[in-house]
Amino acid sequence: MAPSATEGSVALMKKATSQIGWEIQELLTKRIVIIDGAMGTMVQRHKLEEPDFRNEALANHHKPLKGNNDILSLTRPDIIYDIHKQYFEAGSDICETNTFSGTWVAQADYALESLVYDINYEGTKLAKKAAEDVFKATGKRKYVAGAMGPTNRTLSISPSVERPDFRNITFDELVDAYAAQARALLDGGADLLLVETIFDTANAKAALYAVQLIFEEEYDEVPLFVSGTIVDKSGRTLSGQTGEAFIISISNANPMCVGLNCALGADEMRPFIEALGKATDAYVLCYPNAGLPNTFGGYDELPPTTGRNMMEFARDGLVNVVGGCCGTTPDHIREVVRQVEGIVPRKRGKTDREHMLIAGLEPLKVGKLSNFVNIGERCNVAGSRKFCRLIKNGQYDEALSIAKAQVENGAQILDINMDEGLLDGPVAMARFCNLISSEPDIARVPLCIDSSNFAVIEAGLKTSQGKCVVNSISLKAGEADFIHKAKIIRRFGGSVVVMAFDELGQAADRDRKVEICVRSYNILVKQVGYNPNDIIFDPNILTIATGIEEHNNYGKDFIEATKLIKEQCPGCRISGGVSNFSFSFRGKEFVREAMHSVFLYHAIKNGMDMGIVNAGAMPLYDDIPKDLLKICEDLLWNLDPDGTEKLLEYSLSHSAGAKAEVVVDEWRSFDVQRRLEHSLVKGIDKFVVEDTEEARIDRTLYPRPLNVIEGPLMKGMSIVGDLFGAGKMFLPQVIKSARVMKKAVAHLIPFMEEERAAQLLLTGEVGEESDRYSGTVVLATVKGDVHDIGKNIVGVVLGCNNFRVIDMGVMVPCDKILQKVVEVKADILGLSGLITPSLDEMIYVAREMERLEIKIPLLIGGATTSKQHTAVKIAPRYSEPAIHVLDASKSVVVCSSLLDQTRKLEYVGDIDEEYEEVREDHYENLRDKKYFSLEKARALKMKVDWKDGYQPCVPSFLGSRVFEDYDISRLVPYIDWKPFFDVWQLRGKYPNSRFPKIFNDETVGKEAEKLFKDANAMLDSIVKNRLLKAKGIVGFYPANSVGDDVKVSDEHGNYGGTFFGLRQQAEKELNDCFNCISDFIAPETTGIQDYIGAFAVTAGFGCDEICQKYEEEMDDYSVIMFKALADRLAEAFAEELHERVRVELWGYDRSEVLESEDLLKIKYTGIRPAPGYPVQPDHTEKKTMWDLMKVKEKTGIELSDSLAMLPAASVSGLYFAHPQSNYFAVGKIPQEQIEDYSMRKGQSVAETERWLSINLAYEPTEE
């Protein structure tokens, strides 16, 4: 937290500050303005010592203060005042306050956070006094700039090489620190604020966010100057941004002046100042160092040289404000004043009104002449199963490869979406964006922060130094919410995507799209102050060719609306999610890509600027086959009512492996049940009525008309559902199947009504209208969500299957939904939602149903929903069935099963069992288990009598030995083939589960033999042609245990490191022994010298190159085979080397004689556990091995940020020789041991919890 102002400080309040901004602006138009030189250089001349940095209040301060120049404003105000006065007298128009490190973040190094207000307030007062005194003496007006330095933390760069996603400061903390500093500077009377020496634009954005916030809420505005720092001749900041990208990223704050200072001398800075001036419409500021530092860190550039450099900058029209930074003095400034006198200042550039300007590390301009902008779509948990799986599994490094591939394939903007019910969206977004910052190849493009949860959007904006696109906001929750969010995004500097939704819902037709977008535009431009070029409209690309007639105009309406919106909203851009357009043909990618290409061909011509697409996946418009092109064109413009059927036929006939239709309808010879199933699956309605009638009159098979529906018709629809769920059937086919079903049911309805009437006549009861239906289903898109296409399709499918469907539409509040359920006596309620917040609303509805004792099944559906979320979050809150329905075709089977009293009990029971398993899996690491205290577990460690004469074997050498090019033919006999077959998912059944008995398995045996033959052929080629290079290292070192750890010495007897151990604590059946690796090494207290070994081997050098060749030949089979064999050879290397260690290199069991089968069964003495595995699950212990043996330097085997070994086909571990050493699993670890382990390792508990997350026996506290 930021410190509060100390006693005696001026109270903070909203008030007017400097009213002289117009004077400064006027001065900038008339002449070159002079800013002062270095404060630090002048302070050094006084040769101050520790007492100078202390006053009476700080006399006993516990930390050294020398070097904290900012505190001198309180302890030596005479010196600071005199420096300011000297610069003003030398001709400076503006002097900076002595507050470069005046935030509580920077002052924390000196434990002076509590003095931040006083440092800034008094520092400003000193500068103001000097300005006033010089004004009185000379009559020349002087100004004070409140200096706000970059702090000693960075938001874009991790301080930890091992953890690129880690940051030691947050955006909110920096905003808090800068806001506190700015208030004090303004209270002290600063005439302007200067955010300077920016090496990380994200830090600057935090400062500018704070300043904008206090200008909005507390203080009148003063001029804002912003100055960045280019660190070398690459022209980039330390965090990697180009100068132009830097300007784009901070331009939202509307600084009066922007420029560069520090790091470089004038000669090196010139090209970057010139480029910066071309990129901004603000005045340009430049105050370089006095040349480059000499070998002693000093500066040799003399005042005349500085003056001449600044004169040349001014003469060439590059600058408006000049001065000096490190190494400059009042003499330098005096010379600058003399040489720039009379030179006309630079003219301000014109505001770019033609382009949308956004940036990552590099700028992106989008204008009328720009090509279509591809927004990469695959970093979206809702749009990519692979990306979602990787993020949910915490495999962020691998997820980054998806982002990199998107950029490499042409994505100019990278869309990131973390909206998934079981993800902590803000945390996931922040972590992934932080990782992107560490990858320049990805970070060079702007990010599109994509979420329906505004907290996730803010998390993304807080981690990006560039100017992002935000996707999205809309008017669906009203104008106040819309304006509130727009202002926040504008304060972050983001361009904004506005969806065509309003309080009435989603715009589907052309006129509604235009109406909503024009209204949104006027609010953003006139009320929020948005630059029109930063507004992007998404007028909703909706799915065509669904088989539902009202969807047929969606493509045409979007394109026509695009043209009208661009005409009525000058400067705006148009975007959209292109994959939605073809969703009805999911699985038929060649058809979808052609549809996308045709759609974009026309949309771009009519003004569409950008879109979320799979970059590189679409064919050129002219390359689309003419017959397919004609179908796609007709569908887009709704010119052919049979277009959907034609495209479906085309997709089937052109699928891989599609066969020509047999002319003779063989299926007509099937029995009636199979004929009905065939009609439904194939969508053939030609014979369905006669086949249904044939079934109806067969009273032996179907005593009642309803039995025909429950029998062959429902079985056929169940098959349709399974095929659709597996991606083997597509939406138009499902719609056709539903229509066939409808025809069959329609034929049976009169007979069912006749039967019902006869029954009512006998009983005297009068039936209700709903009695003719299979059941009543209420469908609703929950409050806050406006997506309903999927729900509509469910309604069609259920309606075609004789269900009474009551569709309540979108954004329906819970109370309205439940009122309708009661009113219509619904049998089932179905809730739909696409965006993540809908999941919480569904939970709320379930709770309310439970509270109101509504006893009907609840179905959950929509893109953002999942079986896991339903099982974990919804089902436990509702005592009736709560079931996730994957898609429309499954809805019929689910509803029918729930309403059939003879099947419901079993069906619901199966669901309950399945969901219980899902919950068990989810909470596996959270279950309560019983644990011994760490003290007791240590007391019950493995008993070894170290005094019984055991003498550790001395290895044949100490230190390490490298195996440079190991003979791979030696490794082949040591290959364990079972994991190889597991890779190929060939698993025999007992007793034929292992190699070589797998060849006898009835199911997989023959395929396993073929695979084994191919593998050996490739293995022969690897050995013969030396396609892989095996390298390794082994080391042996003196070691002794100290508690749960193993202390190691190097070969010279010096301290080599410590291997830290984790001890079992979970109660066991026999609670007699709780193991830790240290138990296998003689304790230091015994005086016995023991030893430990370590190794790292690989068979992976050369693997990537060979696999790349196979990939170029599109030979996936060989790629998988080669990688699998490389893995097996690496494991074989570890096995063969361990044998050599036992009998030769260490030699603790020279008499060992074992067969290969005995090796696999671990019948040898000693163990070779690996860090990251059950014996020691902490991967960070690998770093000790790598440091001890110099593994990377000697073998080239590296560790990734997540401590995976590179090459991938590598194995490493430790060697323990004691005959009682054995493999065990540490298991779950209580918090007590985590804290103890963290203290021993000298790292934070949070860090330990991160690396051992799957082993924690508790739920860690969220930060």
Side-chain angles (χ1 to χ4, degrees), residues 369-438:
L369 300 180
S370 303
N371 291 328
F372 183 79
V373 177
N374 292 317
I375 303 176
E377 67 171 354
R378 307 312 295 167
C379 295
N380 184 328
V381 294
S384 168
R385 290 181 182 177
K386 180 180 180 181
F387 184 78
C388 183
R389 173 175 53 79
L390 292 173
I391 294 297
K392 290 174 76 173
N393 291 343
Q395 296 170 276
Y396 281 75
D397 287 346
E398 193 172 341
L400 272 183
S401 65
I402 296 177
K404 188 173 184 180
Q406 288 279 282
V407 176
E408 289 172 348
N409 286 335
Q412 292 139 290
I413 301 173
L414 193 63
D415 183 86
I416 304 170
N417 182 291
M418 296 292 178
D419 287 0
E420 206 282 336
L422 294 173
L423 275 180
D424 186 334
V427 171
M429 178 65 78
R431 183 180 178 188
F432 193 67
C433 289
N434 280 339
L435 286 169
I436 285 176
S437 295
S438 68

Side-chain angles (χ1 to χ4, degrees), residues 717 731 734-735 738-739 741 791-803 805 888-892:
M717 284 306 292
L731 188 57
V734 174
I735 297 294
R739 287 176 177 169
M741 181 73 170
K791 171 176 61 65
N792 293 348
I793 293 168
V794 169
V796 170
V797 173
L798 288 174
C800 291
N801 286 272
N802 197 38
F803 284 90
V805 177
S889 62
K890 293 287 187 183
S891 63
V892 176

